[in-house]
Amino acid sequence: MESRRILVTGGAGFLGSHLCERLLAAGHEVLCVDNFFTGQRRNVHHLLDHNNFELLRHDITFPLFVEVDEIYNLACPASPIHYQFDPVQTTKTSVIGAINMLGLAKRLKVKVFQASTSEVYGDPSVHPQPESYWGNVNPLGPRACYDEGKRCAETLFFDYHRQHRLKIKVVRIFNTYGPRMHARDGRVVSNFIVQALKGEPITIYGEGQQTRSFCYVDDLIGGFTALMDSPDDIVGPINIGNPNEFTIRQLAEQVIDLTGSSSKLVFEPLPADDPKQRRPDISAAERLLGWGPTIQLREGLLRTIAYFDELLGEA
Ligand code: NAD
Ligand code: UDP
């Protein structure tokens, strides 16, 4: 395969750093752009000496003038506590950031990939969620800056595609976990593992009967590249995730089991608009990309626990 120069926005974040690694391993040049809001230099530290890797501090709500052959747009905080910290900036990152990246792709006439989210389905009344479901989103609630920002970004991608014939790829990512999640980013897998390893109470919001379907990061990144490299008429949106569904209480029990922790479960109030259930219908990804997850929760958790164990040991 020919080597390409690829821009990854949000490249110093959890998913972005794994994507940069995968693209470098495939022989591409990577320009990683990040404002380090939730990303960390340590996520890409091991790539800094790589001849084909370049790191640029930049906020994508401002225009970016670079020359690349392909763009992956991942920049946006993904954890509820982080995207709700400065909700106006979250919307700006999704919407103005998308406009800037689409404008760049249009000038360069290159393909652009958007990291959208299962949050576009809101608190879904259709289960599991196929791409054809329009969603059930509260446009005024605390999650709206993220959900509506991502929905508007999808609209922009499809309008650039129709209006300017831009090549687009839109993926809807379901809950993903793995090494390099931020230890304090508040997402459930990192929270539970860190709490279990420290012997602190495991904080279950609500009664823990809400469900999520957790995808291991390596599987997800395989889905990204499969979509990006697929024929131009496959534009998405396409769900990528692991359809195995668990209650949050089951997740807590499994983390306690795998860490051998003595942590106890504590129950805290459920945040506003917290979706009650979530599971991807991945039949489109299977049919169009030949993609499906291969790493199940137990194996993925063991790898993630090993990462946090080492991280906490360094602290
Ligand atoms: P993350 O917070 O680890 O990474 C986001 C990265 O974007 C960070 O490095 C952050 O510093 C950077 N960033 C934020 N605002 C920016 C801006 N204005 N300009 C430049 N950089 C900026 O989160 P993640 O889990 O790696 O998520 C990556 C993408 O995938 C996001 O777009 C997110 O919405 C999407 N996503 C992730 C999940 C998941 O489960 N991890 C689920 C659905 C969607
Ligand atoms: N959650 C929890 N305890 C925590 C963190 C999260 O019970 O310490 C719950 C949260 O209320 C939600 C689920 O776990 O129902 C997934 O939360 P996360 O923030 O990881 O992602 P999202 O809600 O965006 O799917």
Side-chain angles (χ1 to χ4, degrees), residues 289-309:
L289 308 177
W291 178 89
T294 57
I295 299 161
Q296 297 310 336
L297 189 63
R298 182 188 158 82
E299 173 59 26
L301 283 178
L302 284 170
R303 295 187 199 182
T304 313
I305 289 166
Y307 167 80
F308 279 112
D309 205 15

Side-chain angles (χ1 to χ4, degrees), residues 78-80 83 119 143 175 186-189 191-192 195 203-206 210 212 214 248 270-271 274-275 278:
S79 138
Y83 70 63
E119 289 280 328
R143 297 175 84 104
N175 296 65
R187 281 183 274 191
V188 67
V189 175
N191 265 14
F192 285 3
Q195 289 162 345
T203 52
I204 293 187
Y205 302 159
Q210 69 273 37
R212 295 292 185 275
F214 299 101
I248 294 305
L270 192 64
D274 198 281
R278 184 180 292 150

Side-chain angles (χ1 to χ4, degrees), residues 231-242:
D232 288 348
D233 61 332
I234 302 177
V235 296
I238 197 155
N239 291 338
I240 299 283
N242 187 323

Side-chain angles (χ1 to χ4, degrees), residues 23-35:
L23 295 173
L24 287 170
H28 300 298
E29 277 185 57
V30 172
L31 171 59
C32 168
V33 164
D34 206 295
N35 71 349

Side-chain angles (χ1 to χ4, degrees), residues 120-156:
V120 300
Y121 302 122
D123 189 3
S125 49
V126 171
H127 194 71
Q129 294 81 56
E131 290 85 351
S132 55
Y133 177 50
W134 288 356
N136 176 33
V137 172
N138 174 359
L140 307 178
R143 297 175 84 104
C145 58
Y146 183 74
D147 302 8
E148 298 289 16
K150 290 283 190 179
R151 286 168 67 97
C152 183
E154 285 197 9
T155 306
L156 284 161

Side-chain angles (χ1 to χ4, degrees), residues 232-295:
D232 288 348
D233 61 332
I234 302 177
V235 296
I238 197 155
N239 291 338
I240 299 283
N242 187 323
N244 282 343
E245 185 179 3
F246 297 86
T247 66
I248 294 305
R249 185 172 181 133
Q250 284 172 325
L251 175 73
E253 286 163 353
Q254 185 144 10
V255 168
I256 289 177
D257 182 37
L258 294 176
T259 51
S261 172
S262 55
S263 291
K264 298 278 170 283
L265 304 183
V266 294
F267 294 86
E268 296 189 354
L270 192 64
D273 296 337
D274 198 281
K276 285 181 275 308
Q277 54 182 2
R278 184 180 292 150
R279 173 154 75 98
D281 175 335
I282 59 163
S283 48
E286 288 169 335
R287 190 178 69 255
L288 297 171
L289 308 177
W291 178 89
T294 57
I295 299 161

